[in-house]
């Protein structure tokens, strides 16, 4: 009768009847705790990791075997001109960022004002300085004498624009005003993150609009704006390198002056890159500490 028995059941049914059933739990479901968990092999993950290691090894080998005099790198890393350049870089970054924050707060308040003139002017400022390249703005400020030969207050003071618009001042105005356009959006987002009830409570106790912004809204908005402002400051440190086109003696400009004289281009660029990495490596944990300080109330509530 082949695989079938007289009762009409297949042969494997009899074999299955001889197998022990899986132990059942209280709800009638089988106990799967003793079963082996099958792990999915992540072949693509291992392949991508190996590929990244190979690429990094190839890059390291190229730098090790390339025509790079590493003795020049260590020699010029701490020369006086390079150290002066990094000091000028940090001074310019701090002053330009301070100017950008002041302008950003003012423009953000103007954007949130019910006055349509103030809102339009603030929106136009943001549109103009975010819409044009930073290096173009630096060149325009540096060549301002072609548009305004003299600068001053009529009847009180005047001077030639070419004498007033030094590389330092042109870099400060170009970097600071450009940063103000970006900072204004960060500050506006921070102010909008504050609950409307805070504004209403300030009005209820007789606070004016500006006083409420200074005493209530801005302190609460700092928790939101500190992380992006920290990133903007780190970006500002690197953006100062663009001031080399207007002869401001920052780090990259001084490194360029050296390799123009000794033709050690890659070595001096590595020196500048190492200094930028060092500065960013110091600023990053400081930013995290500042973020943690302003987020103390939120972290306490989260616990």
């Amino acid at each position: 009768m082949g695989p079938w028995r007289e009762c009409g059941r297949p042969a494997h049914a009899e074999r299955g009847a001889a197998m022990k059933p899986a132990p059942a739990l209280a709800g009638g479901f089988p106990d799967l705790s003793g079963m082996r968990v099958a792990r999915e092999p992540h072949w693509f993950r291992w392949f991508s990791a190996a590929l990244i290691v190979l690429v990094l090894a190839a890059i390291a080998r190229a730098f090790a075997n390339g025509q790079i005099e590493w003795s020049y790198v260590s020699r010029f890393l701490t020369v006086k001109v390079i150290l002066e350049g990094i000091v000028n870089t940090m001074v310019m970054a701090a002053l330009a960022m301070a100017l950008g924050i002041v302008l950003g707060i003012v423009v953000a308040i103007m954007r949130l004002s019910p006055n349509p003139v103030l809102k339009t002017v603030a929106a136009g400022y943001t549109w103009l300085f975010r819409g044009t390249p930073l290096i173009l703005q630096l060149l325009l400020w540096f060549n301002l004498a072609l548009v305004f030969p003299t600068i001053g207050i009529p009847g009180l003071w005047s001077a030639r624009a070419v004498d007033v618009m030094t590389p330092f001042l042109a870099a400060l105005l170009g970097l600071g005003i450009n940063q103000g356009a970006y900072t204004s959006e960060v500050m506006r987002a921070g102010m909008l993150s504050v609950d409307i009830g805070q504004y209403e409570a300030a009005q209820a106790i007789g606070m004016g609009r500006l006083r409420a912004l200074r005493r209530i809204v801005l302190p609460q908005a700092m928790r939101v704006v500190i992380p992006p402002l920290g990133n903007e400051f780190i970006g500002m440190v690197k953006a100062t390198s663009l001031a080399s086109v207007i002869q401001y003696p920052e780090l990259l400009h001084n490194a360029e002056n050296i390799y123009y004289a000794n033709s050690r281009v890659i070595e001096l660029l590595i020196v500048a890159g190492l200094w930028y990495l060092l500065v960013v490596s110091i600023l990053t944990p400081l930013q995290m500490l500042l973020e943690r300080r302003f987020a103390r109330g939120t972290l306490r509530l989260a616990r």
Side-chain angles (χ1 to χ4, degrees):
M1 295 179 61
W4 294 91
R5 301 292 184 263
E6 299 84 36
C7 60
R9 291 191 304 167
H12 64 81
E14 295 182 358
R15 292 195 299 270
M19 297 176 61
K20 293 181 179 181
L25 298 178
F29 298 100
D31 184 8
L32 304 179
S33 60
M35 297 186 66
R36 180 169 171 267
V37 179
R39 298 185 180 276
E40 179 184 359
H42 299 283
W43 300 112
F44 180 75
R45 182 185 302 176
W46 288 104
F47 173 76
S48 59
L51 183 61
I52 292 173
V53 170
L54 288 176
V55 171
L56 293 177
I59 295 175
R61 184 174 181 272
F63 272 89
N65 299 331
Q67 297 180 356
I68 302 175
E69 292 290 342
W70 292 101
S71 60
Y72 278 88
V73 175
S74 59
R75 182 188 308 175
F76 286 101
L77 196 61
T78 55
V79 297
K80 182 180 179 181
V81 177
I82 295 296
L83 295 179
E84 290 176 352
I86 193 63
V87 170
N88 292 337
T89 293
M90 296 308 300
V91 169
M92 179 56 65
L95 293 178
M97 194 66 196
L99 177 60
I101 290 175
V102 172
L103 290 175
I105 293 174
V106 173
V107 174
I109 295 174
M110 292 170 63
R111 288 288 299 272
L112 297 176
S113 171
N115 189 322
V117 177
L118 294 180
K119 293 179 67 173
T120 303
V121 172
Y125 164 81
T126 305
W127 167 79
L128 177 62
F129 289 99
R130 287 202 308 173
T132 53
L134 176 56
I135 191 170
L136 173 63
Q137 297 175 34
L138 290 170
L139 291 171
L140 286 174
W141 283 110
F142 189 61
N143 294 282
L144 192 66
L146 299 176
V147 181
F148 301 100
T150 59
I151 298 177
I153 303 174
L156 296 178
W157 170 81
S158 64
R160 296 193 309 163
V162 69
D163 297 328
V164 174
M165 200 57 60
T166 61
F168 175 83
L169 184 59
L172 177 61
L173 293 176
L175 293 169
I177 294 177
N178 177 268
Q179 183 61 47
Y182 290 92
T183 305
S184 67
E185 293 299 294
V186 175
M187 296 303 301
R188 186 168 67 94
M191 293 178 188
L192 291 175
S193 69
V194 180
D195 189 81
I196 189 65
Q198 301 291 325
Y199 293 90
E200 296 173 350
Q203 292 177 354
I205 61 176
M207 276 192 178
R209 179 178 176 82
L210 293 179
R211 189 180 180 190
L213 285 171
R214 181 172 59 88
R215 299 291 298 273
I216 295 177
V217 177
L218 287 179
Q220 296 184 59
M222 293 303 292
R223 177 178 56 85
V224 177
V225 303
I226 283 296
L229 283 184
N231 291 331
E232 290 291 333
F233 181 64
I234 291 175
M236 175 64 74
V237 172
K238 295 176 289 184
T240 55
S241 61
L242 294 176
S244 61
V245 300
I246 58 173
Q247 308 304 312
Y248 177 69
E250 46 78 45
L251 175 60
L252 184 60
H253 180 264
N254 289 358
E256 290 174 345
N257 288 339
I258 296 175
Y259 72 63
Y260 286 152
N262 62 11
S263 300
R264 295 292 178 179
V265 179
I266 191 67
E267 289 83 358
L268 270 300
L269 291 178
I270 291 175
V271 168
L274 291 176
W275 272 111
Y276 283 121
L277 288 174
L278 177 62
V279 170
V280 172
S281 300
I282 295 173
L283 291 177
T284 300
L286 293 179
Q287 174 191 348
M288 295 175 63
L289 291 175
L290 193 60
E291 292 176 13
R292 191 176 303 172
R293 177 177 177 81
F294 278 93
R296 283 181 302 179
T298 304
L299 294 176
R300 193 180 301 115
L301 291 175
R303 294 194 190 101

